[in-house]
Amino acid sequence: MSFVKDLVTLDVVTVTGSMKITVKDKDKRTDGDQENMPDSIIDFEELFTKINGTATTRGDLSIVAATRINLDKDTYNFVANDLGDVGKGLVELHFKSVDMASKSRAEIVARLMPNWGRKKK
Amino acid sequence: MSADSSKVSKFKQHCNQIFQDDAGGKSSLVALERLVEQDMANTYKIPVSPILPGNSSTSKDKQSQLRGLWHQLTQHLVDLRYISEQEFLEYQGRKKQILEQREFLIPIIKGVNKYLWQETAPDIRELLNTYDPGPYLTQFWVEQHLASIAEAISKYTSFDGSLAPPDDYEIGEDSCYGRSLAFRMRVIFAMDEALDDADIFDRSMIKYTISLDNILKLGSNPAPNLREEEIEDATISAEFWAQICDLDELFEAFFAAVPEKIQDKAYAITYKFQKQGDQFQASDYELIYLDRPAINNSGNSPKWTVGRINRAERLKAGIYANIACRLLQLKLWQTSFYLGAIDGDWGKMSHEAVLDAHRLELSLWEKGNKEHVRKEKFQQYSKRTVKRSVFHKDKKGIIAIDLEDMHQILQNYVSTVEENGEAGENEAKIIDKLRSEAEVSEERLDKAILTEKSLDKCYDAASESPKRRVSYVSMKNKSFFRGLVRGIGKLVSWIIGAFKKVLGLIFSFAKAIIDRIRKGFQLFAKGFRYLSHLLLGRPIVTPRINPNGSSLPMFTRFQLDFDAINYIPEDATERELKAHGKTLDMMRKSMIYFIDVVLFVIKMIGRLTQPGGWVWLGITIFKWLFRRIEELFQLVPQHQWSEDPVA
């Protein structure tokens, strides 16, 4: 699988704010018609772009914490300093997902690579 | 089944593509996901967890497939008195409509609610912690987890040794164990109406456990020589729990505890009966004994005759006959020959159950099929011994049942004796036997078992016999399928449609197979969904406790390289954060298992070489999954996930 190329770094970002499902998408989603479901109710590519650049300009999302782990295990953490009362819970959840992501990735690579990474000759 | 065979082909095709092609892999995964979550969920009647989007099991036609699970659950609920007998009878009368008219399920859901909050088993606690149902349990929520709930509660009413003694049980507590103990005492020892009326076991009932212990000499007397005022200090020992949960231990205790004057003598249960058409009436049963050894010089049981029955000594202590009949009724129920209430009331159903079991055993000998006969307990297990185990004269209306021999015969079908071999081995063997030796096609086998249509008559009969109870074979019981090979002729007849009436044995076989397939595929589907959501980049969602219009729930979305983004709504509560953390935690802990499951199953699919074969595949998956879980967690699985760290 091609995702092996992306395994050099591990990035985990935690955001908070309010995101709404558009009326159109919501209507489609609740009618139970799987065939006509929208591809995605959230445009994740767009979401990432906003985080990297202009998310705060719309004022609807802000970054709680971000972590980058390099292949050599060098780790960079960013934690926002204005998190309020529930901040501790948010940060805990962030680091839980970092832990989950790194362990899961190690396991999945170890197990899937011998089978799924093999090319046809 | 042409649609199903096409599903098999598609499944194989997508699996092969995933292995072979990077680009095709992802699109195949999407198609495969649809097959797993929709087609296979329908075929195997899997209630799919609602935690991830894409659940399609909510439409009415799919809900109707849950009927059998609702029935199983309801039976356990009434036995444990989470619902009343009256509510059970009302359910029986309306069960054809329950899925359309949800209000009929309200009392059942209340019973489920009460049970769930009393259940301490880790899998149910985890289920409640992870998928918080909120303050009001809904039919939807229960249906999503119906298979897990029905399996978890079944151990409290089974007598196959699958209920482990509790760590901390206090007499009088309203708990699953308190209700289970009351149920067991009612079934084995209802000598007093007070016992029959009790929902939970309390201190006023200790005297019955003491009596039972004294009669059966269990040696686990909870209150030996206690004076009245010391009853407060009595406890139920782990030994007593183990004995009262294991029917074969109770039988062994009974045989050892009968009065000395009949020990080693030939003894039997006897009663007179009158049969006219559908009418059947039996006189009170008695335990009689001959002044002859239980085993004669030739190694056989002595022969009973009308004269010997009439001349035999009667055991005056009627309690032995009562307990003997209850234990025998329970054993006949456990082996699916009897489908009535376990109440010591020996009527037509009990009578015919004994004759059915006897006839089946004799027919095996007549056909010369001695395979799988368990010999170790018999001095000489011969056709003569089998024939003599039940003496029966219809015209004279008299019967004598040799209790020890009958118990041994029934042991061939279900026993709690520890069996060698791994979970699923015996299931796989009988499926293989049906496929090869019995010349039953895959397609026919799949149709008979998976459609459950021929079991409908059983459900119909239930509404006419509200006290009817079906025995559900525990996942842990490895002997059932081994014993079932003995009844393979009946199974084949059923599969090829020669049987009009569904017999208990066949019903139990089909239910047990379906339960295992469902369990296996449920685990597989869950694992597959997590993995496919990871690989497809779909978010792991934790539903909001109080959904707020269009606002999005909390989610974590992983990319293929495990880069992750968490979204937390700005008004998220601590409880929601905790719930989402647990979801992620469960996912991490189960990751190895998930991947192994998916890889294994994908490989197994590749071995389907002809149309049909879903049953075989389901059993193979079940077999492998249980072995894998045991390896991973180093224990016999009683639940899907473990708190133990993955080794």
Side-chain angles (χ1 to χ4, degrees), chain B residues 150-409:
Chain B
E151 191 198 330
I153 195 173
S154 66
K155 60 183 176 288
Y156 295 108
T157 62
S158 84
F159 283 85
D160 59 6
S162 59
L163 182 65
D167 292 332
D168 50 351
Y169 165 74
E170 279 193 26
I171 293 171
E173 70 179 28
D174 186 355
S175 65
C176 299
Y177 275 96
R179 286 169 183 271
S180 180
L181 189 53
F183 164 74
R184 288 167 199 284
M185 290 305 290
R186 274 200 304 276
V187 165
I188 301 166
F189 199 62
M191 304 307 291
D192 194 307
E193 280 185 15
L195 243 181
D196 210 29
D197 292 341
D199 292 351
I200 58 166
F201 188 89
D202 62 30
R203 293 206 174 267
S204 72
M205 294 157 73
I206 291 174
K207 55 180 181 276
Y208 302 112
T209 59
I210 295 171
S211 298
L212 185 66
D213 186 273
N214 285 336
I215 294 165
L216 295 185
K217 301 185 179 70
L218 296 174
S220 53
N221 196 328
N225 307 317
L226 279 189
R227 292 193 300 273
E228 189 71 21
E229 63 272 21
E230 291 173 324
I231 289 287
E232 284 297 313
D233 301 325
T235 55
I236 302 292
S237 68
E239 291 76 21
F240 188 83
W241 273 109
Q243 286 163 329
I244 205 163
C245 292
D246 186 327
L247 179 56
D248 291 330
E249 279 209 29
L250 288 171
F251 256 112
E252 292 300 324
F254 178 85
F255 295 135
V258 290
E260 206 170 320
K261 61 184 173 187
I262 73 166
Q263 287 281 354
D264 301 324
K265 300 264 174 68
Y267 61 89
I269 290 173
T270 186
Y271 53 88
K272 290 185 174 164
F273 60 88
Q274 284 184 313
K275 233 166 76 168
Q276 272 187 326
D278 283 347
Q279 300 294 313
F280 180 90
Q281 209 170 2
S283 65
D284 288 346
Y285 43 73
E286 296 174 295
L287 201 62
I288 55 172
Y289 59 99
L290 292 174
D291 191 18
R292 286 167 178 267
I295 308 291
N296 63 23
N297 290 338
S298 312
N300 290 308
S301 305
K303 188 178 177 183
W304 287 95
T305 62
V306 176
R308 282 180 179 173
I309 293 172
N310 289 334
R311 288 195 301 275
E313 296 281 345
R314 266 65 187 159
L315 195 67
K316 289 201 174 73
I319 184 70
Y320 289 102
N322 186 279
I323 292 181
C325 275
R326 282 171 183 268
L327 294 181
L328 184 56
Q329 215 171 33
L330 204 48
K331 191 72 191 170
L332 288 163
W333 172 79
Q334 195 181 54
T335 48
S336 302
F337 288 104
Y338 175 67
L339 296 174
I342 318 295
D343 52 9
D345 186 5
W346 201 269
K348 186 182 175 189
M349 287 177 79
S350 308
H351 179 79
E352 287 184 351
V354 167
L355 297 184
D356 273 349
H358 189 231
R359 270 195 294 265
L360 179 60
E361 194 65 17
L362 268 181
S363 72
L364 291 177
W365 282 95
E366 277 158 14
K367 287 174 190 162
N369 181 1
K370 296 176 189 174
E371 199 186 354
H372 305 289
V373 166
R374 195 192 299 261
K375 291 177 181 171
E376 60 265 32
K377 299 273 176 162
F378 287 96
Q379 290 289 318
Q380 185 175 327
Y381 191 54
S382 60
K383 187 178 174 184
R384 179 172 290 177
T385 307
V386 173
K387 203 169 181 180
R388 289 181 175 181
S389 61
V390 178
F391 172 81
H392 170 247
K393 287 284 174 199
D394 233 11
K395 284 183 185 168
K396 296 197 181 228
I398 195 162
I399 187 168
I401 306 159
D402 185 310
L403 201 60
E404 281 188 284
D405 285 358
M406 198 65 211
H407 174 245
Q408 285 305 310
I409 287 170

Side-chain angles (χ1 to χ4, degrees), chain B residues 40-76:
Chain B
M40 287 172 72
N42 290 341
T43 308
Y44 295 103
K45 303 162 184 63
I46 311 165
V48 183
S49 160
I51 194 160
L52 302 171
N55 175 20
S56 63
S57 65
T58 54
S59 66
K60 280 186 180 176
D61 58 327
K62 287 160 196 163
Q63 278 188 337
S64 68
Q65 295 170 339
L66 299 173
R67 200 184 299 275
L69 279 173
W70 273 112
H71 181 69
Q72 180 178 349
L73 179 61
T74 308
Q75 182 179 297
H76 295 312

Side-chain angles (χ1 to χ4, degrees), chain A residues 11 13-14 16-17 97 111 119, chain B residues 22 563-564 566 568 570 596:
Chain A
D11 293 308
V13 180
T14 300
T16 188
S97 58
R111 281 164 189 269
K119 294 282 183 189
Chain B
D22 272 3
D563 281 353
N566 296 305
I568 305 168
E570 58 189 353
D596 284 352

Side-chain angles (χ1 to χ4, degrees), chain A residues 1-3 6-7 9-22 26 29 34-35 37 39 41-42 44-45 47-48 51 60-61 64 85-86 88-91 93-109 111-112 115-120, chain B residues 18-22 25-26 29 34 38 53-56 531 534-535 537-539 548-574 577 580-582 584-585 587-588 591-592 595-596 598-599 602-603 628 632 646:
Chain A
M1 297 287 258
S2 58
F3 74 86
D6 304 323
L7 293 175
T9 60
L10 177 71
D11 293 308
V12 178
V13 180
T14 300
V15 300
T16 188
S18 67
M19 277 201 288
K20 307 277 184 191
I21 306 169
T22 66
K26 195 177 70 162
R29 195 169 165 69
Q34 296 287 322
E35 293 294 334
M37 284 282 282
D39 290 340
I41 54 170
I42 305 162
F44 282 101
E45 301 312 320
L47 188 64
F48 274 113
I51 291 163
D60 55 0
L61 285 179
V64 173
D85 292 340
V86 291
K88 187 167 172 278
L90 301 184
V91 174
L93 185 69
H94 172 79
F95 286 108
K96 187 165 271 206
S97 58
V98 171
D99 183 50
M100 190 266 172
S102 56
K103 286 181 178 166
S104 302
R105 189 171 73 169
E107 294 291 353
I108 204 167
V109 167
R111 281 164 189 269
L112 293 189
N115 294 307
W116 291 22
R118 195 180 302 140
K119 294 282 183 189
K120 275 193 295 186
Chain B
I18 288 171
F19 273 108
Q20 290 168 4
D21 183 42
D22 272 3
K26 190 161 178 174
L29 198 63
R34 179 168 287 241
Q38 294 182 21
N55 175 20
S56 63
L531 190 60
L534 271 179
L535 297 177
R538 290 186 186 168
N548 171 23
S550 57
S551 96
L552 280 176
M554 200 175 306
F555 64 81
T556 297
R557 188 248 190 179
F558 292 94
Q559 290 185 302
L560 279 176
D561 62 352
F562 276 89
D563 281 353
I565 181 162
N566 296 305
Y567 167 70
I568 305 168
E570 58 189 353
D571 57 346
T573 64
E574 272 189 46
L577 284 167
H580 192 64
K582 279 184 178 168
L584 294 180
D585 211 30
M587 187 170 168
R588 183 187 64 75
M591 184 57 71
I592 296 175
I595 297 166
D596 284 352
V598 173
L599 288 180
I602 287 172
K603 284 176 186 166
R628 190 73 191 96
L632 270 180
V646 171

